[in-house]
Amino acid sequence: MKNELKEWVSRVPKAELHLHIEGSLEPELMMSLALKHGVELPYSSIEEVRSAYDFHNLQSFLDLYYFGASVLRDEDDFYQLMYAYLQKCREDNVVHAEIMFDPQTHTQRNIGFEVFMPGFARAIKQAEKEWGQSCLLIMSFLRHLSEESAMQTLEEARHYLAMITAVGLDSSELGNPPEKFERVFAKARAYGLKRVAHAGEEGPPAYVWGATKSLAVDRIDHGVRSIEDAKLVAHLVKQQIPLTVCPLSNTKLKVFGHMTEHNILQLLEHGLVATVNADDPSYFGGYLNDNYFALIDHLPIEKSHLVQLVKNSFSASFLPEKVKQSWLAKII
Ligand code: ADE
Ligand code: ZN
């Protein structure tokens, strides 16, 4: 039975809505780019890199994630990073991906939009041409940095707005509430950009309220802690604000002690538009299908739940309505 469910998940077309491109940097590429650029890494083998990925909370992961990204230096590095993820999409039948990138992780190291955007664009065009991959980009601000830095990043992105669909908010959640970025998100909205924000991953339901009220988000990234506040759940259901849930991330970062404790089925039972996503697949042990498989292995999940989750991935996407409908019709 579990195998049948896994086979169905593998072959059905899916969308992925919460994926950090820097979090898809596999140890093999990290080590080859370190060699190319003469960057010293504190690891002597791929196995050593993987065994360092043992996290106790979000910050312990972020420290390694920003460090890993330091090997990304030139246009071709960003091309290789993006093309490798898009090939995973092809393997997993992820027909549409909404991909986050963190410009400040690179601009802080004097690597500008003129380096990473052409690299991303080249990979995206190639995947579109080679197998019809659909994707769009979400520019995410690092919330541990200042409002001023986010505002400056938004201005630096102005030449590239045609390539960017939405803005997001990620990095260290606790102590950096959404309200800090109210003016940045208002400006992004005025530029015609959609809005998403990480909230309710480690932070309390108040941060999810903050993201909906102060940032006028179209989606919440994670949001699993919303369930602690019944009024918030009712609000998210009424407004149909989707949650991009990341099961392997949540267990790796100890948001839940074990996959058997994950609350995704309760989220669905409340009528929330929950979706399944990989977040940072190279750090958390799996791409999109592996996240569905983990749910199948550890929760009393049925085909109807999986159908709902896959349908939600399209209805919660930023695809045009007609395109959404044509994918939705294929999920049976
Ligand atoms: N950046 C990359 N992955 C993240 C996550 N899960 N939470 C916050 N910031 C992130
Ligand atoms: Zn994330």
Side-chain angles (χ1 to χ4, degrees), residues 88-233:
K88 296 284 186 184
C89 288
R90 185 182 199 183
E91 284 169 28
D92 272 7
N93 273 320
V94 176
V95 295
H96 174 69
E98 308 199 343
I99 303 166
M100 279 182 252
F101 67 105
D102 290 343
Q104 289 151 298
T105 299
H106 314 301
T107 54
Q108 277 195 319
R109 303 179 288 122
N110 283 325
I111 292 160
F113 279 78
E114 73 288 353
V115 177
F116 50 82
M117 293 309 267
F120 293 153
R122 184 154 66 92
I124 290 168
K125 274 203 197 97
Q126 189 177 338
E128 277 169 357
K129 195 168 155 217
E130 286 179 355
W131 64 87
Q133 183 65 45
S134 157
C135 59
L136 55 79
L137 293 176
I138 301 174
M139 176 174 78
S140 229
F141 302 112
L142 300 184
R143 70 201 303 157
H144 68 275
L145 300 179
S146 65
E147 178 197 26
E148 193 190 359
S149 171
M151 206 59 107
Q152 191 187 328
T153 303
L154 182 58
E155 288 314 303
E156 286 169 25
R158 284 205 71 179
H159 290 307
Y160 300 92
L161 287 187
M163 275 180 70
I164 300 171
T165 300
V167 290
L169 188 63
D170 61 11
S171 195
S172 322
E173 188 181 7
L174 291 168
N176 295 295
E179 288 79 358
K180 182 173 163 187
F181 298 95
E182 185 164 354
R183 283 180 290 205
V184 179
F185 272 57
K187 198 165 205 186
R189 189 180 190 176
Y191 289 165
L193 296 167
K194 302 220 179 266
R195 297 151 312 280
V196 300
H198 284 53
E201 178 185 17
E202 282 190 341
Y207 282 33
V208 181
W209 278 117
T212 63
K213 301 277 184 199
S214 302
L215 307 183
V217 292
D218 299 282
R219 287 197 304 249
I220 296 285
D221 291 319
H222 296 294
V224 289
R225 288 196 59 194
S226 304
I227 211 149
E228 295 168 26
D229 179 340
K231 281 205 179 115
L232 175 60
V233 170

Side-chain angles (χ1 to χ4, degrees), residues 18-20 100 170 198 201 221-222 246 249 279-280 284:
H18 182 165
L19 181 288
H20 301 264
M100 279 182 252
D170 61 11
H198 284 53
E201 178 185 17
D221 291 319
H222 296 294
C246 308
S249 163
D279 205 6
D280 301 284
F284 302 146

Side-chain angles (χ1 to χ4, degrees), residues 25-314:
L25 176 63
E26 289 290 343
E28 289 79 359
L29 183 57
M30 189 195 294
M31 295 196 80
S32 84
L33 296 181
L35 200 63
K36 169 179 164 187
H37 296 297
V39 179
E40 283 238 8
L41 292 178
Y43 315 112
S44 57
S45 66
I46 305 288
E47 294 70 43
E48 253 185 59
V49 185
R50 288 200 201 281
S51 61
Y53 295 169
D54 183 20
F55 312 116
H56 51 274
N57 60 13
L58 174 58
Q59 194 58 51
S60 63
F61 152 69
L62 289 170
D63 293 343
L64 283 196
Y65 164 87
Y66 295 126
F67 178 72
S70 69
V71 301
L72 298 162
R73 304 259 161 127
D74 63 29
E75 187 265 1
D76 196 64
D77 302 346
F78 290 96
Y79 159 80
Q80 284 199 56
L81 178 71
M82 180 62 79
Y83 192 68
Y85 168 65
L86 295 173
Q87 281 177 309
K88 296 284 186 184
C89 288
R90 185 182 199 183
E91 284 169 28
D92 272 7
N93 273 320
V94 176
V95 295
H96 174 69
E98 308 199 343
I99 303 166
M100 279 182 252
F101 67 105
D102 290 343
Q104 289 151 298
T105 299
H106 314 301
T107 54
Q108 277 195 319
R109 303 179 288 122
N110 283 325
I111 292 160
F113 279 78
E114 73 288 353
V115 177
F116 50 82
M117 293 309 267
F120 293 153
R122 184 154 66 92
I124 290 168
K125 274 203 197 97
Q126 189 177 338
E128 277 169 357
K129 195 168 155 217
E130 286 179 355
W131 64 87
Q133 183 65 45
S134 157
C135 59
L136 55 79
L137 293 176
I138 301 174
M139 176 174 78
S140 229
F141 302 112
L142 300 184
R143 70 201 303 157
H144 68 275
L145 300 179
S146 65
E147 178 197 26
E148 193 190 359
S149 171
M151 206 59 107
Q152 191 187 328
T153 303
L154 182 58
E155 288 314 303
E156 286 169 25
R158 284 205 71 179
H159 290 307
Y160 300 92
L161 287 187
M163 275 180 70
I164 300 171
T165 300
V167 290
L169 188 63
D170 61 11
S171 195
S172 322
E173 188 181 7
L174 291 168
N176 295 295
E179 288 79 358
K180 182 173 163 187
F181 298 95
E182 185 164 354
R183 283 180 290 205
V184 179
F185 272 57
K187 198 165 205 186
R189 189 180 190 176
Y191 289 165
L193 296 167
K194 302 220 179 266
R195 297 151 312 280
V196 300
H198 284 53
E201 178 185 17
E202 282 190 341
Y207 282 33
V208 181
W209 278 117
T212 63
K213 301 277 184 199
S214 302
L215 307 183
V217 292
D218 299 282
R219 287 197 304 249
I220 296 285
D221 291 319
H222 296 294
V224 289
R225 288 196 59 194
S226 304
I227 211 149
E228 295 168 26
D229 179 340
K231 281 205 179 115
L232 175 60
V233 170
H235 177 71
L236 297 173
V237 171
K238 184 155 181 250
Q239 300 298 321
Q240 289 287 287
I241 299 175
L243 305 182
T244 63
V245 178
C246 308
L248 288 173
S249 163
N250 291 157
T251 49
K252 275 276 185 180
L253 301 186
K254 312 286 189 271
V255 173
F256 297 97
H258 192 268
M259 197 59 81
T260 50
E261 292 158 31
H262 202 287
N263 69 3
I264 195 161
L265 292 180
Q266 286 94 290
L267 298 174
L268 286 180
E269 273 155 31
H270 281 94
L272 287 157
V273 186
T275 64
V276 177
N277 307 272
D279 205 6
D280 301 284
S282 129
Y283 291 87
F284 302 146
Y287 286 77
L288 187 60
N289 286 352
D290 298 314
N291 277 270
Y292 279 97
F293 297 167
L295 298 178
I296 292 169
D297 281 334
H298 297 289
L299 293 179
I301 198 164
E302 294 175 9
K303 169 92 182 274
S304 59
H305 298 121
L306 294 168
V307 169
Q308 189 66 57
L309 288 165
V310 173
K311 284 191 169 172
N312 288 350
S313 78
F314 290 103

